Amino acid sequence: MEPPADGPRVRSDSAGSSASQGSRTKVLLRQRLSQLLTCIEDMSSDDEANEEVSRTLDEAFQLCGRFVPTDAFRLHIVTWNVGTAEPPEDVTSLLTPDVQPSTDLYVIGLQEVRATPLKYISDLLSDDSWSHAFTDALAPRGLVKVASLRMQGLLLLVFAKHLHLPFIRNVQTTYTRTGIFGYWGNKGAVSVRFSFYGHMLCFLNCHLAAHMNYALQRVDDFEYILETQDFDLFETPRVRDHRAAFCFGDLNFRIADHGLHFLRSSIDSGRLHLLWGKDQLISMKKKEPFLQEFEEGPLNFKPTYKFTRNSDTYDTSSSKTWLGFNGKKRKPAWTDRVLWRIKPKSPPSDEEDEKASTSTDDGLDEYPLLVTQEKYTSDMSYGVSDHKPVVATFSLELRKYFDTQLVHVSSVGVWSADQDAQLNYTIQQDFLSSTWDWIGLYKMGFKSASDYETFVWVREVDLPEINELIQLSIHKDEIPALGGEYVLGYYSTNLQSLIGLSDNFHILESKSAVADNLVPDNVNGLNKLE
């Protein structure tokens, strides 16, 4: 019997099991109700019974309130080996931006971005064409680039809705080389980690060793990457220390044993489940304990490699050997994958275990994180590469550790280029501030923290106290003459993120610019007609 086309949603939680947090809460509620019924049988008056019912119901509501997450966020991951190609004209459909509820976080991992020495050096000086393509598609929709990292052909991009920016902190990036004795970056991994409303998340983009016979090396390299990626934070120095880790990329695992004819007939007939048993990653998970920590949705989409470019046809050409002779044809395979892992709770000590049996909360986490995979598929409409892109979307249900910005920033009075402008900021919570922190002026639709119109340094001598009101000025020559909708953002150099955003405000068109016929000409880098 064939499996359904759309598999069930895959959920995991911060306890590291497939059972949801809600199901365990229900068990606790049943226990309380059972205890309640037993107590009522022994009560001598209705008043005592009513009091016990009231107390137990209060406890039940507290259980539900404590353990059920209060907020849900949508995460959209794309992984694509682009085969050194330039981006297509439009990447919008790959991002499904019109989905409801709208996406809060986009994470895009690319492999084999063109990386000739001259091209690589030029990309270091300015964003590469792929970064431009995704940024230009997302910025008009209110998504801001939080982080990016490039290691030769590996590229990792993270975007977030601008309203989440003050709650994304401790942004760090790192990389690991595994190609050519660990010195050349054609294979390996790049990662971005950050705190999202207090929950530590890590995203790892990998490109592992190719070819059928290197399955063990791929596993070894993946384990090496997980063990050696090092972050500068005590609580989460490694990938697996994070609350949730998402690992994806061209993992290069192949379909073993089956012949080319059987592979293609199974794919053409839609009987993909016949191939799962010989998928190298699925097989390796049965043998390797560390791989068993990772979850993956069902492979209910066609193998994503290897295609003839600009087509939906699997490649029929023979690979070339080093001597120029024809080699074996490349068999289709699910080389491009998305895995995730929820950090398990530490096993309780004997003493804690004894307490847990009588505890009202039974040791459950006060700040749960539930991860539910909503979609896992490929997009066959893109043909610039011999790989098809893979998309995975998730729902992140969590209880926020905090919902207050570290810094409150606001504009003061009317802003225009006819006069100097004033802004206020107040440190609302203690953090490792620096005299290198700055406040930027951003036009709505800005692309990243560095995409400001102008900026001003925070107070340069003594750092302000908590709740101390600081006022700064911006010279009128630095204010856009054409006006528009803007926002102020406080950037922390230590946390590598915008930790305070003002409300949106309007800058008036400069009267002097109009009088001098400078409008709609280009003024301060802006154009009224744009």
Side-chain angles (χ1 to χ4, degrees):
M1 185 173 179
E2 294 184 17
D6 297 315
R9 300 195 312 165
V10 183
R11 168 178 279 186
S12 54
D13 63 24
S14 58
S17 70
S18 59
S20 69
Q21 192 86 31
S23 66
R24 285 180 296 171
T25 303
K26 290 176 183 177
V27 171
L28 287 174
L29 292 177
R30 290 193 197 100
Q31 292 174 352
R32 299 296 182 267
L33 290 173
S34 177
Q35 293 168 1
L36 173 62
L37 292 174
T38 302
C39 289
I40 289 176
E41 289 176 359
D42 297 331
M43 298 210 172
S44 57
S45 70
D46 290 341
D47 287 341
E48 284 184 302
N50 288 336
E51 185 178 341
E52 183 65 19
V53 169
S54 177
R55 187 188 68 78
T56 305
L57 287 177
D58 283 343
E59 186 180 316
F61 283 124
Q62 288 175 2
L63 279 170
C64 291
R66 175 181 285 186
F67 300 122
V68 177
T70 56
D71 293 280
F73 304 90
R74 183 182 291 275
L75 165 65
H76 186 108
I77 294 178
V78 176
T79 179
W80 192 5
N81 183 321
V82 298
T84 72
E86 288 298 300
E89 291 184 7
D90 189 4
V91 296
T92 305
S93 65
L94 192 59
L95 304 170
T96 57
D98 299 323
V99 68
Q100 292 298 327
S102 59
T103 300
D104 299 279
L105 293 171
Y106 282 95
V107 180
I108 298 158
L110 305 180
Q111 307 86 42
E112 291 195 27
V113 175
R114 187 164 173 256
T116 61
L118 184 60
K119 174 71 173 171
Y120 185 61
I121 292 172
S122 67
D123 287 345
L124 290 177
L125 301 176
S126 62
D127 277 349
D128 60 277
S129 56
W130 283 97
S131 295
H132 277 298
F134 286 108
T135 301
D136 292 345
L138 292 172
R141 294 175 168 84
L143 278 300
V144 179
K145 185 169 70 174
V146 173
S148 65
L149 182 61
R150 175 85 182 268
M151 183 183 77
Q152 289 190 210
L154 278 166
L155 175 65
L156 182 57
L157 304 167
V158 177
F159 298 86
K161 282 183 180 177
H162 99 269
L163 62 91
H164 298 315
L165 296 180
F167 310 104
I168 295 175
R169 303 171 187 172
N170 294 310
V171 180
Q172 292 184 6
T173 62
T174 190
Y175 61 89
T176 301
R177 298 185 179 101
T178 59
I180 310 181
F181 307 110
Y183 290 102
W184 189 243
N186 63 318
K187 295 290 190 295
V190 292
S191 61
V192 172
R193 57 69 61 88
F194 52 84
S195 163
F196 185 68
Y197 291 97
H199 295 266
M200 301 305 300
L201 307 179
C202 184
F203 299 92
L204 185 72
N205 174 25
C206 303
H207 193 186
L208 304 181
H211 305 303
M212 179 71 73
N213 297 330
Y214 288 91
L216 282 175
Q217 182 180 335
R218 287 188 275 276
V219 172
D220 289 343
D221 286 347
F222 187 39
E223 187 172 26
Y224 173 76
I225 289 166
L226 294 175
E227 291 176 350
T228 58
Q229 294 246 313
D230 190 16
F231 299 103
D232 186 22
L233 201 64
F234 175 75
E235 295 87 350
T236 53
R238 299 286 186 269
V239 172
R240 284 182 283 182
D241 295 322
H242 291 75
R243 193 68 175 279
F246 298 84
C247 302
F248 46 88
D250 183 359
L251 305 187
N252 253 321
F253 288 101
R254 308 305 171 98
I255 300 172
D257 297 338
H258 289 313
L260 186 59
H261 177 74
F262 180 81
L263 273 170
R264 291 194 171 170
S265 64
S266 299
I267 294 169
D268 292 341
S269 64
R271 295 179 296 173
L272 300 175
H273 62 288
L274 298 178
L275 308 178
W276 296 346
K278 296 298 182 180
D279 176 82
Q280 289 179 334
L281 179 55
I282 293 175
S283 299
M284 287 291 181
K285 282 189 73 171
K286 298 174 182 177
K287 306 173 184 177
E288 298 289 342
F290 86 94
L291 285 177
Q292 294 166 16
E293 300 173 5
F294 288 87
E295 300 184 56
E296 183 182 20
L299 298 170
N300 287 328
F301 53 90
K302 291 182 178 181
T304 53
Y305 176 81
K306 179 182 183 182
F307 285 85
T308 300
R309 292 180 189 250
N310 300 309
S311 78
D312 293 337
T313 305
Y314 286 103
D315 184 50
T316 57
S317 62
S318 299
S319 60
K320 297 288 185 179
T321 65
W322 281 14
L323 298 177
F325 299 107
N326 286 337
K328 293 182 179 179
K329 291 181 172 61
R330 298 291 174 87
K331 294 192 294 185
W334 285 289
T335 56
D336 311 284
R337 312 288 277 268
V338 178
L339 314 176
W340 78 95
R341 175 187 184 273
I342 303 298
K343 183 182 179 182
K345 286 186 177 181
S346 301
S349 64
D350 293 340
E351 186 177 337
E352 290 173 335
D353 198 31
E354 220 173 283
K355 291 179 181 178
S357 62
T358 57
S359 171
T360 56
D361 65 7
D362 203 21
L364 291 177
D365 193 347
E366 189 175 355
Y367 294 95
L369 171 65
L370 308 182
V371 177
T372 305
Q373 188 177 64
E374 304 284 357
K375 181 172 70 172
Y376 189 32
T377 188
S378 63
D379 191 329
M380 292 289 168
S381 66
Y382 290 93
V384 297
S385 170
D386 53 0
H387 290 249
K388 299 296 183 181
V390 168
V391 174
T393 61
F394 298 86
S395 171
L396 306 182
E397 299 171 79
L398 56 85
R399 167 155 292 195
K400 298 174 181 175
Y401 281 88
F402 49 78
D403 56 10
T404 302
Q405 301 187 39
L406 291 176
V407 181
H408 179 266
V409 189
S410 61
S411 60
V412 178
V414 177
W415 281 48
S416 80
D418 296 322
Q419 60 189 19
D420 294 349
Q422 306 294 321
L423 66 88
N424 291 338
Y425 79 93
T426 305
I427 305 297
Q428 299 191 119
Q429 296 179 40
D430 193 22
F431 70 97
L432 187 60
S433 55
S434 166
T435 54
W436 290 102
D437 293 352
W438 43 268
I439 296 174
L441 174 66
Y442 297 92
K443 187 174 178 65
M444 290 305 297
F446 65 101
K447 299 177 179 180
S448 68
S450 60
D451 187 25
Y452 49 78
E453 303 296 330
T454 187
F455 75 95
V456 59
W457 296 108
V458 301
R459 195 164 68 181
E460 296 183 4
V461 184
D462 298 320
L463 294 174
E465 301 292 332
I466 293 178
N467 296 325
E468 179 185 355
L469 180 67
I470 307 296
Q471 188 165 91
L472 300 174
S473 297
I474 295 181
H475 194 274
K476 63 182 181 180
D477 291 343
E478 301 296 325
I479 299 173
L482 297 182
E485 291 296 314
Y486 287 83
V487 65
L488 293 164
Y490 183 109
Y491 185 84
S492 165
T493 54
N494 289 319
L495 298 180
Q496 293 289 295
S497 58
L498 288 165
I499 59 173
L501 286 177
S502 72
D503 293 333
N504 300 357
F505 65 98
H506 189 75
I507 296 180
L508 300 178
E509 189 177 88
S510 168
K511 295 177 181 178
S512 61
V514 174
D516 294 339
N517 294 319
L518 296 176
V519 178
D521 293 337
N522 193 304
V523 182
N524 286 355
L526 299 173
N527 193 307
K528 187 177 181 180
L529 298 179
E530 292 182 347

